[in-house]
Amino acid sequence: MRHNFHRHIGLFLVILCLTAGAQRGRKEVQLVTDSVPKDVVFNVYDFKGINKYPEYFNKQKLQRIIKLDKEEKWEELYDALKDYVSRFGIQNFYKDTKLIWKLAKLTELLGDPDEAMTLYRMVLRHHYQGISIKEIELYYDSLNRQAAEQFVPIDYYYELVEHRKLIDTLRPPRGVLLNMGMLVNSASADYGPSLNIHNDILVFTSKRKKVDETIRFREDEDLYFSRKDPYGTWSKAKPIEKLNTQYNEGSPCISGDGTTLVFSRCDSPDSYGDCDLFIATLQEDSTWTRPANLGVTVNSLAWDSHPALSHTGDTLFFSSDRLGGFGLADIYYTTKNDKGKWSPALNMGPVINTRQNDVSPFYHPVYEVLYFSSNGQLYNFGEFDIYKAFNVDGYWTEPQNIGPLVNGRGSEFYFTIDSESELLFYARSSTRDLNKQDIYSFPLPMGAQPEATTTVTGSLTDSLTGAPFQGIVSIIDLDNGREVAPRYLKPDGSFEFELINQTNYLLVLQGDDFFRIEEVFYLDGPMELNTVTEPLVSKMKFESIEFDVGKAELKTEMYADLNKVVNFLYDNPEFKLKISGHTDSVGDPEKNLKLSKERAQNIRDYIVIFAGIIKERVQAEGYGDTRPIVENEVTEEDRKINRRVEFEIYREAPPTEESEETSNDF
C-alpha cells in the first residue's frame, strides 16, 4: 500500500518537521455584511490570475514599481502595487510575497488599517523568500497574541468551573467528548464521519477489516454506515458492500438527502492518481450504483480526497496535493452543470489555502459556512486545527479558529457537524497513533456555531482612576447551555465575542483585583457592555454587615456582600480570608470580646459550611473593643465606626529558600 488517508496525513506531519520551505500560493477577497463577524473584515482584492495562469509578470509595470519605490513616491507606488498584486497568479504568492508585504505597509500608511491587516495575514500564510523572518515573526506574534493567546487555557478554565461548582448560574455544561461506542467504533482506526440532513445516517471510514497477505495481515480501508433509531441509539456499523473493494475506500461524504455518496478510492487501477474521488447514487432498491470516477476534470495524478458537498449537491469541495497549488495540500472545488457534468477543479485561493496543509473541508448543511482543518492558518492551538469561513457575495472571509474547546494540542480533522449545529463528530486518538482513532461526538461550542456572528464588545475599568482591569471574561448561553470559550481581558481592559443573536446570556468578569461582576443580557444586535467597578483592597468592610445590638445572627441583607467574598474565593483558589470582629467600648469588655468572636465565627460558618469554601482557607477572630479605629469614642458615629467586621483577603507568600532549608532540618 503506497498511499492511504492516514499515511498521507502522517506524512504531512513528517514533512512539516523536515521542510523549511514549500511550494505554491492562492486567492481571495472579502466584504463586510451584518451576517459576518466584525473582526473577519477582508480586503477588496479579487486576484484575477488565480485559476487562470500560474504566474503574473509584466516587466514594464514591475520596473515602474521599482522606480517609484526608489523615488519614494508612496502614493503612486501604492496605486501601482494594488493593481499589480490584484493580478497575481498562484506562484506569485510564494515568489513575490515581498510585494504583498510592501503593499501591506503602504496600506497601513495610506489606506484602510483593516485591509492592511488582511494583507499582513496573507504574507504570513504564504511567505517563502525575500522577506525578513524577524519582521514576519514580529507581526505573527503580534497577530497571534490578539487571538489565540487571548483564550484562557482550557485546563485552567475547567479548574475554575470546578472551584465554583456550587454556584449553579456559573456552571456551564462542561463539553463532554463522547465515544460513539463499540457498535460504531472498532479496535482499529475509525474516522471520516459524514451525516445526512436528518442526522440519522452516519457513514465513515474504518480499518477494521484485515486482509491476509500470507506473510502479514494488511488493514483494508472500507466504508461503513450506522443508523440512529428514534431513541438516539446508533446501530452496529455495517460495511457498504457494493462500494468496498480490495482497494482502499474512505473519507465518504453523503448528500443531505442520503442518495449520493462521494468518497475516495486509493491505489486502484481505475484511478488516475494515488487517490481519486468517486461518486455513487442510491437506487430504488436501496442499493448503490457502481461507483464512477469523477474524471480528469476533478481528479489529478496526485492525491485527491476529503470530499464535501454543498447544500444542493452541485458544488463539491475536496483536498488535493496536486502540483500548482499554494502549499503541501490545498482545498479545491468543482461545480456540476445542468447536464450533470463536473467542471474543472478550481483552487479556493490564498485566504483559505496556505503554504502548509489545508484539508478536510466541510460545508455546513444549512448555513453558508465552510469548515476545514489546517496547520498553516494563523491562530493555531495544535498541529491541525478546525477553522470556519463565511461565504459573502462569492468570497470567503478570514478563517476563524473555532477555539480551544474543540482544538487542542493535537490534530483535529475528519469531522462533520449535524444539521442542528448541536454536535461535532470527529476522530480522535488518545495517543499520536493515527491507527487508534475512534469517532467521538462533542457539543458544538459557540466558537464553532455558524450563527455566531453578532459582535459583543465591552470593557472593565477602575471607577476611581479609569485604569483597565486585568482578568477573565466568561459568557454563558443561558437559553441553550452552549459553552463559550473564556478569554482574558485585553491590556486595555476590553473584550470581544461573536455570539448568536436573540439569545439570553450571562456575562461574568473575574480577576484578582475586583469582586466578580455578573450581568444578564439579551442580545438583539451588536452590543457594547462597558463596566466600571471599584478595585479590591486587601482589608475592607461592608456597610451591609451590621449586626443588631448585642446580637450575632446573620441578616438577609448581608448575603449579597458575603456572596461577593465567596465568589472571589471560588474564582481565586490561591487566596485566603481572615475575618475580624470588632465592637465599640460600651458594656462589659469580656462580653464584647465574646460577641465579636461569635459574629466572626458565624460569618466563617456561612462561607465554609453553607458556601463550601475549604475551611483551611478561612479563619475568624474576635477582638472586642481592643482595636478601635476611633480611640476615644465620644459620639454614636464614633461607636458605629468601631463596630465592624473586617475582611482581609491575602495570598500567603511562597516559602523562601532559607525557610525551606530550615524546615528541612526538622
Side-chain angles (χ1 to χ4, degrees):
M1 152 72 68
R2 291 186 300 109
H3 204 64
N4 65 30
F5 305 108
H6 276 138
R7 213 171 72 206
H8 190 72
I9 294 297
L11 197 61
F12 285 168
L13 302 179
V14 174
I15 290 171
L16 291 178
C17 296
L18 300 180
T19 308
Q23 331 153 24
R24 327 168 201 177
R26 68 204 100 259
K27 119 159 185 156
E28 201 87 10
V29 183
Q30 300 147 294
L31 310 166
V32 185
T33 73
D34 292 339
S35 63
V36 177
K38 179 174 71 66
D39 66 332
V40 293
V41 177
F42 33 28
N43 64 43
V44 292
Y45 294 97
D46 185 357
F47 296 104
K48 304 175 180 65
I50 303 297
N51 296 308
K52 291 183 179 178
Y53 43 78
E55 180 182 6
Y56 174 72
F57 177 76
N58 184 302
K59 184 177 180 180
Q60 183 179 358
K61 289 186 177 183
L62 196 57
Q63 286 178 337
R64 180 170 180 264
I65 286 171
I66 294 170
K67 182 174 182 291
L68 291 172
D69 190 21
K70 287 181 179 178
E71 295 174 351
E72 298 185 356
K73 295 182 178 180
W74 307 128
E75 292 188 1
E76 291 182 61
L77 176 61
Y78 178 42
D79 291 336
L81 270 175
K82 281 196 293 185
D83 175 71
Y84 197 87
V85 169
S86 71
R87 301 173 188 272
F88 270 12
I90 287 178
Q91 291 183 12
N92 294 102
F93 282 83
Y94 65 85
K95 289 183 176 180
D96 300 316
T97 324
K98 194 169 185 177
L99 294 181
I100 307 176
W101 179 251
K102 191 175 290 291
L103 178 58
K105 289 182 174 181
L106 287 172
T107 304
E108 190 173 21
L109 179 68
L110 302 171
D112 184 346
D114 289 328
E115 187 178 310
M117 193 62 70
T118 297
L119 290 168
Y120 282 129
R121 291 188 182 107
M122 200 165 292
V123 171
L124 294 172
R125 289 190 190 97
H126 301 290
H127 74 88
Y128 181 58
Q129 58 186 9
I131 296 203
S132 166
I133 295 299
K134 287 186 177 179
E135 283 190 272
I136 286 285
E137 289 175 346
L138 175 66
Y139 271 85
Y140 179 84
D141 289 345
S142 172
L143 289 175
N144 217 43
R145 239 178 260 116
Q146 292 174 30
E149 293 183 12
Q150 190 187 331
F151 285 101
V152 173
I154 291 306
D155 291 344
Y156 179 52
Y157 168 58
Y158 284 133
E159 183 181 322
L160 291 177
V161 171
E162 190 65 24
H163 279 298
R164 65 193 189 202
K165 62 185 177 183
L166 296 181
I167 311 297
D168 291 337
T169 58
L170 291 185
R171 195 179 187 190
R174 179 170 181 168
V176 179
L177 188 66
L178 290 178
N179 190 299
M180 299 271 309
M182 292 186 294
L183 292 178
V184 173
N185 291 311
S186 68
S188 298
D190 301 285
Y191 51 93
S194 179
L195 287 166
N196 66 339
I197 194 72
H198 303 296
N199 308 313
D200 58 3
I201 298 176
L202 178 78
V203 293
F204 62 97
T205 313
S206 180
K207 284 186 173 182
R208 65 190 66 188
K209 182 181 177 182
K210 304 294 187 291
V211 178
D212 187 354
E213 294 185 331
T214 306
I215 60 173
R216 66 183 177 91
F217 282 93
R218 173 176 62 84
E219 291 181 323
D220 186 27
E221 288 178 295
D222 280 336
L223 303 176
Y224 283 74
F225 75 97
S226 174
R227 293 182 182 274
K228 186 170 66 173
D229 65 27
Y231 305 101
T233 302
W234 290 95
S235 67
K236 183 175 177 60
K238 296 179 181 179
I240 308 178
E241 300 289 358
K242 293 243 176 170
L243 302 185
N244 294 323
T245 67
Q246 60 182 308
Y247 306 105
N248 287 294
E249 288 82 23
S251 195
C253 170
I254 191 168
S255 62
D257 60 10
T259 62
T260 301
L261 195 68
V262 183
F263 63 94
S264 187
R265 177 177 286 167
C266 299
D267 300 313
S268 69
D270 52 351
S271 294
Y272 298 98
D274 293 331
C275 296
D276 276 12
L277 295 171
F278 287 74
I279 190 168
T281 305
L282 191 65
Q283 302 177 105
E284 291 184 2
D285 63 357
S286 297
T287 62
W288 294 95
T289 60
R290 182 176 180 177
N293 190 304
L294 285 179
V296 293
T297 59
V298 176
N299 291 308
S300 68
L301 298 178
W303 173 86
D304 300 288
S305 188
H306 300 185
L309 287 165
S310 64
H311 305 157
T312 55
D314 58 3
T315 301
L316 176 68
F317 304 89
F318 64 97
S319 186
S320 176
D321 66 354
R322 64 187 62 188
L323 294 175
F326 289 98
L328 299 174
D330 280 4
I331 297 175
Y332 293 79
Y333 71 97
T334 175
T335 56
K336 187 168 61 176
N337 62 24
D338 295 339
K339 297 180 180 179
K341 300 293 184 182
W342 293 95
S343 66
L346 300 176
N347 190 292
M348 290 197 67
V351 171
I352 298 299
N353 291 314
T354 68
R355 284 180 59 240
Q356 302 298 336
N357 298 291
D358 303 283
V359 296
S360 296
F362 169 77
Y363 205 75
H364 194 282
V366 176
Y367 302 97
E368 303 293 331
V369 183
L370 177 75
Y371 297 80
F372 63 98
S373 293
S374 175
N375 63 355
Q377 288 287 343
L378 306 182
Y379 321 137
N380 192 274
F381 293 101
E383 292 170 347
F384 280 84
D385 278 5
I386 300 174
Y387 296 80
K388 68 178 180 181
F390 298 85
N391 188 287
V392 182
D393 295 335
Y395 299 110
W396 294 102
T397 65
E398 187 74 30
Q400 295 176 287
N401 190 305
I402 65 172
L405 287 170
V406 171
N407 292 321
R409 297 184 183 92
S411 295
E412 284 74 37
F413 44 76
Y414 293 136
F415 63 91
T416 191
I417 297 170
D418 68 22
S419 60
E420 302 298 325
S421 301
E422 292 181 353
L423 294 173
L424 173 77
F425 295 82
Y426 65 141
R428 287 190 70 97
S429 173
S430 57
T431 69
R432 292 176 67 89
D433 185 355
L434 294 174
N435 289 311
K436 300 295 183 184
Q437 289 188 110
D438 279 350
I439 299 174
Y440 290 80
S441 67
F442 185 83
L444 196 67
M446 187 63 68
Q449 289 289 330
E451 290 187 286
T453 59
T454 302
T455 303
V456 174
T457 59
S459 63
L460 179 63
T461 54
D462 189 324
S463 60
L464 304 177
T465 66
F469 280 109
Q470 298 304 299
I472 295 172
V473 54
S474 303
I475 290 183
I476 313 300
D477 180 340
L478 297 176
D479 292 344
N480 305 292
R482 293 191 182 99
E483 288 198 76
V484 184
R487 300 184 179 185
Y488 290 112
L489 289 166
K490 295 178 183 178
D492 63 357
S494 67
F495 60 85
E496 182 173 323
F497 289 86
E498 306 298 338
L499 305 176
I500 297 174
N501 202 28
Q502 297 183 338
T503 303
N504 289 292
Y505 295 95
L506 172 66
L507 170 72
V508 183
L509 297 161
Q510 58 195 104
D512 291 355
D513 303 317
F514 56 92
F515 282 125
R516 180 197 292 167
I517 298 167
E518 302 174 31
E519 182 176 345
V520 174
F521 65 95
Y522 178 74
L523 185 60
D524 188 12
M527 182 176 289
E528 190 170 341
L529 301 168
N530 295 319
T531 305
V532 297
T533 191
E534 293 182 4
L536 182 71
V537 294
S538 60
K539 188 178 287 188
M540 69 204 81
K541 60 170 290 190
F542 298 100
E543 294 298 326
S544 67
I545 312 297
E546 187 168 332
F547 291 87
D548 291 337
V549 176
K551 303 288 186 181
E553 290 78 19
L554 301 184
K555 296 190 291 185
T556 304
E557 53 264 33
M558 299 179 182
Y559 295 154
D561 283 329
L562 290 179
N563 287 339
K564 288 181 183 178
V565 177
V566 169
N567 287 338
F568 184 86
L569 294 174
Y570 273 124
D571 294 342
N572 301 275
E574 72 278 14
F575 279 83
K576 293 187 175 183
L577 171 67
K578 182 179 179 181
I579 306 161
S580 302
H582 303 270
T583 67
D584 57 31
S585 61
V586 176
D588 180 18
E590 288 189 10
K591 289 183 178 180
N592 285 343
L593 180 62
K594 180 183 178 185
L595 183 62
S596 67
K597 288 179 180 289
E598 289 176 352
R599 288 173 173 175
Q601 187 62 42
N602 284 347
I603 291 175
R604 181 183 183 276
D605 289 345
Y606 176 86
I607 293 173
V608 171
I609 297 174
F610 178 76
I613 299 297
I614 298 172
K615 63 181 181 180
E616 286 78 13
R617 295 177 60 196
V618 186
Q619 58 175 307
E621 188 55 78
Y623 297 96
D625 58 6
T626 61
R627 297 186 180 183
I629 294 176
V630 179
E631 290 290 345
N632 299 308
E633 297 172 359
V634 176
T635 65
E636 174 56 28
E637 186 61 31
D638 295 339
R639 289 187 282 274
K640 184 177 180 181
I641 291 173
N642 285 337
R643 291 194 304 267
R644 68 195 188 279
V645 176
E646 291 179 339
F647 296 80
E648 183 179 357
I649 295 174
Y650 65 97
R651 274 194 187 104
E652 284 189 342
T656 63
E657 291 185 12
E658 182 179 345
S659 64
E660 287 178 352
E661 290 175 2
T662 303
S663 63
N664 288 338
D665 291 338
F666 293 92

